[in-house]
Amino acid sequence: DHWAVLVAGSKGYSNYRHQADTAHAYQIMKKNGIADDHIIHMAYDDIRNSRSNPFYGKMFNQPNGVDVAEGLKIDYTGRDNTPENFIAVLTGDSKTTGGKPVLESDSNSKVFVYFADHGAPGLIAFPSSYLYADTLGSAIETMTEKKMFDQLVFYIEACESGSMFPNLASNTGVYAMTAANATESSWGYYCYPDDTINGTHVNSCLGDTFSIRWMEDSDSHYVNSESLDTQHTHVKAQTDKSHVQ
């Protein structure tokens, strides 16, 4: 019983990389057998149909790569992409979301949460507001009390993302990996001049370093046999501008 929650917290074409990251993550989830009704995707969705996009309707996460927007499902777009809805999704609170999809996981579920956007000490950003570490910690406590998972995994791509789990205990069935420690930036990847698709520049970074590393690792390995610890070892060694935690 696998579930995935994917969140791109930014808007604007200069932030192309975040929505391309979560679109790629969506394709990985689908490829590995997670059904659409078990994937909840949040993204402002202003990139693929942007006038600035030379490949209208498409997004790419790698130079000369595949269109990661093909068949893409997004459940929360525009103004619905908020910290409040994200917390409601995690805690199974469909009243707050107005009936939009939320986690319906239980004590047997494996839940994967991936967030990509900007951050600062103790917070991660959404298009119009912020989510603070204490609020996320409270949501994890609620999920634990409601027995919403057997194992819960967070991957967070953001500057200072190592500050988002200050009180995470080691005996809770919760695993978190972050792009950076609590005091440093994370970095874009496949930026100019590498932002090309068949010789045409996208004119924005295609991805983020940490995100590219874990997703390319997932694409190249059989993910049902690779452990989280092994993926962490690979990603940490290949992420050279920040300290993966």
Side-chain angles (χ1 to χ4, degrees):
D1 185 26
H2 287 71
W3 291 79
V5 179
L6 313 173
V7 184
S10 65
K11 62 180 179 179
Y13 195 77
S14 63
N15 291 313
Y16 180 110
R17 61 194 183 276
H18 302 133
Q19 292 181 46
D21 285 339
T22 61
H24 187 177
Y26 172 82
Q27 303 298 345
I28 291 172
M29 301 302 119
K30 290 282 289 183
K31 176 184 175 181
N32 286 282
I34 302 181
D36 263 342
D37 62 358
H38 279 51
I39 303 172
I40 302 172
H41 190 184
M42 305 178 70
Y44 201 82
D45 198 23
D46 60 340
I47 300 301
R48 52 182 169 172
N49 296 329
S50 169
R51 292 181 179 179
S52 300
N53 188 354
F55 301 95
Y56 190 81
K58 299 181 179 182
M59 288 189 296
F60 300 89
N61 201 220
Q62 299 160 299
N64 300 322
V66 299
D67 172 21
V68 292
E70 183 176 356
L72 188 65
K73 178 185 76 85
I74 306 177
D75 303 284
Y76 294 81
T77 61
R79 294 181 179 180
D80 288 334
N81 187 9
T82 65
E84 293 77 17
N85 278 337
F86 176 51
I87 295 300
V89 167
L90 293 181
T91 57
D93 178 11
S94 59
K95 292 182 179 179
T96 294
T97 67
K100 285 181 175 289
V102 298
L103 281 176
E104 299 177 32
S105 51
D106 59 29
S107 60
N108 296 311
S109 301
K110 319 294 186 190
V111 180
F112 174 70
V113 183
Y114 168 53
F115 178 93
D117 189 25
H118 301 289
L123 66 85
I124 49 179
F126 279 73
S128 301
S129 55
Y130 303 113
L131 174 66
Y132 294 92
D134 58 349
T135 304
L136 180 60
S138 295
I140 294 172
E141 290 178 4
T142 299
M143 295 176 74
T144 302
E145 292 167 1
K146 293 174 69 174
K147 298 181 179 180
M148 294 183 66
F149 60 87
D150 174 45
Q151 296 175 336
L152 172 61
V153 175
F154 280 87
Y155 281 13
I156 295 189
E157 171 72 67
C159 295
E160 287 87 26
S161 48
S163 67
M164 289 302 294
F165 300 97
N167 300 310
L168 190 61
S170 61
N171 61 346
T172 59
V174 184
Y175 177 98
M177 183 162 65
T178 62
N181 66 27
T183 61
E184 66 186 356
S185 298
S186 64
W187 295 86
Y189 204 74
Y190 296 139
C191 304
Y192 187 89
D194 298 320
D195 61 329
T196 55
I197 307 298
N198 298 325
T200 298
H201 288 285
V202 170
N203 295 314
S204 196
C205 296
L206 302 183
D208 292 277
T209 304
F210 165 77
S211 295
I212 289 294
R213 295 310 189 190
W214 81 256
M215 287 190 283
E216 290 187 352
D217 181 77
S218 295
D219 284 333
S220 64
H221 290 80
Y222 185 59
V223 295
N224 289 318
S225 61
E226 182 184 44
S227 69
L228 293 170
D229 186 59
T230 297
Q231 182 159 94
H232 167 257
T233 298
H234 293 164
V235 172
K236 184 174 183 177
Q238 295 170 357
T239 304
D240 56 355
K241 291 187 177 181
S242 63
H243 296 85
V244 172
Q245 303 290 293

